[in-house]
């Protein structure tokens, strides 16, 4: 699936902050950032290097390097491999948890 990035635009402080938040998020791919802001992976890395402290950038790069969730193609392959069973139908709780008859549960309206 090919992504067409929006043309790069001049980024203000709010856009830069949003891109940094998207880059830190594990579920947001570089392709999603490219669609919204027109920045490819190398440009996002350069923006992160410029705007983060050195140690914060290093921590982010270690988290992102090789992470399949940051690339839409790898993410699609990974989710295709995951086989999940459909959720079980909800059962009527009275069948599973019957109340025993006891003096406390017997009501007499005599």
């Amino acid at each position: 699936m090919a992504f067409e990035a929006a043309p790069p635009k001049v980024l203000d402080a709010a856009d830069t902050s949003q891109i940094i938040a998207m880059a830190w998020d594990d579920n947001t791919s570089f392709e999603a950032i490219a669609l919204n802001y027109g920045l490819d992976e190398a440009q996002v890395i350069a923006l992160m290097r410029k705007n983060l402290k050195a140690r914060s950038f290093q921590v982010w790069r270690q988290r992102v390097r090789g992470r399949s969730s940051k690339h839409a193609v790898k993410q699609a392959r990974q989710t295709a491999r995951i086989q999940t069973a459909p959720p079980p139908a909800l059962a009527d709780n009275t069948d599973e948890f019957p109340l025993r008859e006891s003096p406390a549960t017997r009501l007499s309206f005599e």
Side-chain angles (χ1 to χ4, degrees):
M1 171 181 242
F3 291 98
E4 298 210 13
K9 61 181 180 176
V10 177
L11 300 173
D12 60 359
D15 288 337
T16 302
S17 178
Q18 183 64 28
I19 292 168
I20 290 171
M22 290 173 76
W24 271 103
D25 183 23
D26 292 337
N27 297 323
T28 304
S29 66
F30 286 118
E31 289 83 2
I33 297 171
L35 283 173
N36 290 325
Y37 294 99
L39 301 175
D40 62 4
E41 182 178 353
Q43 292 170 324
V44 171
I45 292 170
L47 181 125
M48 297 291 279
R49 180 177 279 126
K50 179 181 173 188
N51 290 290
L52 295 178
K53 294 179 183 178
R55 183 64 185 146
S56 296
F57 175 75
Q58 290 171 356
V59 169
W60 175 75
R61 279 302 288 155
Q62 287 175 355
R63 284 187 62 200
V64 172
R65 188 172 290 133
R67 184 176 289 258
S68 63
S69 64
K70 295 306 282 184
H71 300 277
V73 173
K74 291 180 183 178
Q75 192 175 27
R77 284 188 209 143
Q78 184 180 11
T79 55
R81 280 189 245 146
I82 298 172
Q83 300 282 329
T84 59
L90 296 176
D92 183 15
N93 288 341
T94 57
D95 293 339
E96 292 181 25
F97 303 106
L99 291 176
R100 287 190 223 157
E101 195 162 319
S102 69
T105 57
R106 273 186 257 156
L107 298 176
S108 63
F109 295 104
E110 299 173 40

